[in-house]
Structures are given as structure tokens and as C-alpha cells.
Amino acid sequence: MDVGMNCPKCNSEHAYQDRGLWVCPECAHEWSTEAGAAAEASPEPGVRDAHGNLLADGDSVIVIKDLKVKGSSSSVKGGTKVRNIRLTEATDGHNIACKIDGIGAMNLKSEFVKKA
């Protein structure tokens, strides 16, 4: 059988079509071919700024609001331009590593910056 006819949940080869749906007799999962096409057409993964622009390593961004620096009395002012960012995989949401003049190395969340 074709790979598209295998169950996406358990990868069973015994899936069959019932009207507009595909049905897996082994795990009882049902799906439509239109839903699979919509999932493939979703936007590419990656880090996006507050306006939805895709960010890459080495980009310059602008902070869109005042941000407090944890463990310090200083803050990063809105409108501060940050050059040469690095994208990181962080579980706490801070997915941009950068160095800000006057403050030093820090991590930012992509939802608080816009691409310059």
C-alpha cells in the first residue's frame, strides 16, 4: 500500500477509506486526506518575532517594550537595537541569545522583539 494510506497514529497498513475518512481498524483512529494536506501546508517551523517575521542567526532586532533585567536594577529600554543575535532552543521561552551594549550577554524572548 501507499505510505499515505498508512495510519498516521500507529502506522498500520490495514487502513481503509470510508466515504471521506480513512479508518484504522487496529487503533480506531480516523483522519481525512484534506486534514493531512492542511498539516503539510502549515508554515515552516522557526523562531518568529512579535509581528510574525522569521528570524535567523545574525539578524538585528529591536526591543519593542521595556524589559526588566532579572537580578539587576537596570532594564532594557524599548527601541534598543540588538545586533547579531543567536537563536537557541530553550525550554523557558528565552530563544534569543544576544549581547546588549551597556548590559552584556543575555537571553530574550522572541515575542518582545521585532526584526530590524
Side-chain angles (χ1 to χ4, degrees):
M1 285 191 156
D2 189 18
V3 175
M5 294 183 190
N6 290 353
C7 176
K9 190 171 184 181
C10 69
N11 205 22
S12 170
E13 299 176 352
H14 304 293
Y16 61 91
Q17 189 170 12
D18 182 27
R19 296 184 186 159
L21 293 176
W22 285 90
V23 180
C24 177
E26 294 182 8
C27 68
H29 178 68
E30 297 179 352
W31 72 97
S32 67
T33 55
E34 291 83 23
E40 292 175 5
S42 65
E44 68 273 357
V47 178
R48 297 190 177 269
D49 69 356
H51 300 291
N53 298 321
L54 193 60
L55 297 174
D57 285 340
D59 281 348
S60 294
V61 295
I62 298 173
V63 179
I64 59 173
K65 65 180 254 179
D66 292 353
L67 301 173
K68 294 181 181 178
V69 178
K70 190 173 185 178
S72 175
S73 61
S74 63
S75 64
V76 179
K77 300 292 182 190
T80 303
K81 188 169 186 176
V82 181
R83 293 179 180 85
N84 198 18
I85 64 169
R86 290 184 323 272
L87 302 179
T88 61
E89 294 293 327
T91 57
D92 61 350
H94 294 87
N95 47 9
I96 297 175
C98 62
K99 186 174 181 181
I100 299 177
D101 294 334
I103 295 176
M106 65 181 311
N107 294 331
L108 298 172
K109 291 185 179 182
S110 61
E111 61 196 49
F112 298 121
V113 298
K114 67 178 180 178
K115 195 169 185 176

